[in-house]
Amino acid sequence: MAIIERLKERAKMEKKTIILPESMDRRTFEAAEKILKEGIANLIIIGTPEEVAANSEGLDISGATIINPFTYEKTEAYLDLFVELRKKKGLTKEEARKQALGDYMYYACLMVKAGDADGVVSGACHSTANTLRPSLQIIKTKPGVKLVSAFFLMEVPNCPYGADGTFIFADSGLEQNPDPEKLAAIALSSAESFELLVEKEPLVAMLSHSTKGSAKHADVDKVVAATKLAKEAAPELKLDGELQLDAAIVPSVGNSKAPGSQVAGKANVLVFPDLDAGNIGYKLVQRLAKAEAYGPVCQGIAAPVNDLSRGCSADDIVGVVAITAVQAQAK
């Protein structure tokens, strides 16, 4: 069974309430119809009657809860919560109203913060920054987590590598040029996410253009330092670096370039040295290997908030909602 189908089945076992705030995009409603039909999650869609009617024509979304933020009975309480959360920044009630009613992502995050929903999926027609900024201001980071990062859950067809072709690629969507401390934090969060979503042991490769000192450069030094920090923080985790991509996933190359490594040739969590490498890497695999790429999935937020590629399909939204629901089950 494909990884996303397994996640859908897990989501159905303990249904969570997920918010879709992009009522201005028809893909939201196409996805909602499928999610409701399959019973993957309870859905809240934020929008005015006019927005909902204009973009859902011909689709059955009768099982969703539609909330018009301009008339909903809890809106004033959400705005008061917003003011309380941002009082050190001097946010006024009117400014809170303008933000929350002008950008439904803020409203969605307030609903989650108030305990009225379990997670949010957005980004079909908004940038990553516009999706994540409200979540960091309102929901904030998970206790004990130093960094919010993002990954793609990749499923490569007919692939003997990774976990039967399943990988996490991180950070492929958020952290531009992490220093060693941030790169180590991304590795630890990604291992945890892999274990949660794939239900297999994470084998984490810290990727570089060098394997075990084969090249000398400051970029290599960063990965070496990050590997050391991650191992110190989680000595029980199977993690190794620095490794070139082939040494990380191809057994024969791993045995040759990094003999004795617990990870080389078997890695299923690939930690890229920066966002350029991670983003290029996931898109190459998605397009050339015809892989399914779900994300960017966020990790480190106190409640699950996940981004979408603006080129996503309705099926992509369905998949990310399933992932978000499983994350919410683990919260």
Side-chain angles (χ1 to χ4, degrees):
M1 185 186 290
I3 182 65
I4 207 65
E5 295 304 319
R6 294 202 300 272
L7 288 165
K8 286 179 183 179
E9 291 304 312
R10 289 170 63 190
K12 292 175 190 177
M13 292 171 67
E14 184 191 345
K15 286 172 73 171
K16 295 296 182 180
T17 299
I18 308 300
I19 304 176
L20 300 177
E22 293 179 307
S23 56
M24 64 296 295
D25 194 300
R26 184 168 174 82
R27 289 171 294 177
T28 293
F29 298 96
E30 292 171 344
E33 184 179 55
K34 295 181 180 185
I35 291 161
L36 295 166
K37 184 177 181 181
E38 293 186 48
I40 295 167
N42 301 315
L43 291 182
I44 293 173
I45 299 174
I46 300 174
T48 64
E50 293 77 16
E51 289 166 330
V52 172
N55 293 297
S56 66
E57 186 177 357
L59 299 170
D60 180 8
I61 55 159
S62 56
T65 298
I66 309 297
I67 288 182
N68 179 355
F70 294 90
T71 59
Y72 188 51
E73 61 188 20
K74 290 189 176 181
T75 292
E76 294 304 315
Y78 293 150
L79 297 180
D80 289 339
L81 173 61
F82 198 3
V83 171
E84 176 63 24
L85 290 169
R86 303 290 289 170
K87 63 183 178 182
K88 290 183 179 178
K89 298 292 183 180
L91 185 72
T92 67
K93 183 77 173 280
E94 283 314 303
E95 289 169 341
R97 189 183 306 278
K98 184 177 179 181
Q99 272 193 296
L101 300 187
D103 183 343
Y104 296 163
M105 187 59 194
Y106 279 96
Y107 196 94
C109 289
L110 288 166
M111 291 191 72
V112 171
K113 186 70 173 181
D116 292 334
D118 301 301
V120 186
V121 173
S122 183
C125 53
H126 289 88
S127 69
T128 294
N130 286 343
T131 295
L132 293 183
R133 188 183 302 111
S135 65
L136 294 176
Q137 289 181 0
I138 295 167
I139 301 173
K140 305 186 185 299
T141 56
K142 188 186 300 183
V145 171
K146 298 178 181 178
L147 180 74
V148 173
S149 57
F151 64 86
F152 276 83
L153 181 63
M154 306 292 296
E155 186 168 36
V156 188
N158 306 312
C159 177
Y161 308 128
D164 299 319
T166 301
F167 299 85
I168 272 181
F169 284 19
D171 183 322
S172 303
L174 186 58
E175 190 64 37
Q176 182 67 52
N177 189 17
D179 60 23
E181 290 76 14
K182 289 182 176 180
L183 200 57
I186 290 166
L188 299 181
S189 291
S190 300
E192 186 180 322
S193 293
F194 185 89
E195 192 167 14
L196 169 66
L197 297 175
V198 186
E199 297 185 297
K200 292 185 178 180
E201 182 181 24
L203 301 169
V204 184
M206 309 295 284
L207 297 182
S208 173
H209 69 275
S210 168
T211 297
K212 300 296 184 180
S214 65
K216 304 296 181 185
H217 192 275
D219 289 347
V220 178
D221 295 340
K222 179 179 84 167
V223 178
V224 171
T227 301
K228 182 174 183 290
L229 290 170
K231 285 183 173 182
E232 289 172 352
E236 75 290 347
L237 179 64
K238 290 181 180 177
L239 176 148
D240 203 6
E242 85 284 14
L243 295 171
Q244 290 163 288
L245 187 279
D246 56 354
I249 67 170
V250 182
S252 60
V253 180
N255 290 335
S256 172
K257 291 188 174 184
S261 170
Q262 290 184 300
V263 172
K266 298 174 284 190
N268 47 38
V269 177
L270 305 182
V271 180
F272 291 82
D274 57 39
L275 184 57
D276 283 345
N279 193 270
I280 292 166
Y282 105 76
K283 287 183 183 292
L284 270 172
V285 175
Q286 180 186 31
R287 299 301 179 181
L288 299 186
K290 296 180 171 56
E292 296 292 339
Y294 296 97
V297 180
C298 298
Q299 51 193 5
I301 303 173
V305 175
N306 285 319
D307 193 15
L308 296 161
S309 167
R310 277 175 281 180
C312 69
S313 66
D315 284 336
D316 293 333
I317 299 173
V318 174
V320 175
V321 166
I323 291 169
T324 307
V326 171
Q327 287 179 310
Q329 289 173 351
K331 178 175 172 287

